[in-house]
Amino acid sequence: VQLQASGGGLVQAGGSLQLSCAASGRTISNINMGWFRQTPGKEREFVAAITWTGTNTYYADSVKGRFTISRDSAKRTVFLSMNRAKPEDTAVYYCAAGIHQGRYADYWGQGTQVTVSS
């Protein structure tokens, strides 16, 4: 499975940004997808995840109410809509698939930098 993330960039505090992650390769039915993020010197942390059907979503407390995860299963793409961005959201965001308990994943995409200016 290959994951291609896009959409990172610079946004002002309070603004919005949308990340996308397209999956390709072998069939990944019934697999959840989501996002982690990492800042220098810190461990990668869970941000959000969504089940294959999109029925269930999960969020880190730090982004709950501000970020929304969604997916287009037909296009094998997952989105992360970041609203009311904060400087502390600045990080490299990684797309992931096959997430286990919000701690690790079976597949990782390359990171995309998100910078929130104050």
Side-chain angles (χ1 to χ4, degrees):
V1 176
Q2 290 78 48
L3 303 174
Q4 181 69 43
S6 61
L10 176 66
V11 62
Q12 289 188 334
S16 300
L17 196 67
Q18 185 179 64
L19 306 182
S20 300
C21 176
S24 61
R26 74 170 183 86
T27 301
I28 55 169
S29 297
N30 299 318
I31 190 170
N32 60 25
M33 293 181 65
W35 298 88
F36 286 70
R37 66 186 182 186
Q38 189 171 24
T39 54
K42 294 188 177 180
E43 291 188 355
R44 195 170 296 187
E45 67 172 359
F46 171 78
V47 176
I50 187 168
T51 54
W52 174 251
T53 60
T55 302
N56 297 311
T57 56
Y58 307 90
Y59 296 94
D61 288 342
S62 58
V63 306
K64 200 172 294 183
R66 299 187 299 117
F67 290 11
T68 302
I69 189 168
S70 60
R71 71 185 300 167
D72 181 340
S73 295
K75 296 182 178 180
R76 306 172 78 181
T77 302
V78 65
F79 306 95
L80 184 69
S81 297
M82 305 169 59
N83 299 306
R84 291 185 284 132
K86 301 178 179 180
E88 50 263 44
D89 294 324
T90 296
V92 177
Y93 283 71
Y94 294 91
C95 178
I99 299 171
H100 300 275
Q101 300 177 328
R103 292 186 299 196
Y104 62 94
D106 295 328
Y107 306 98
W108 295 97
Q110 91 289 1
T112 184
Q113 177 71 47
V114 172
T115 302
V116 183
S117 62
S118 57

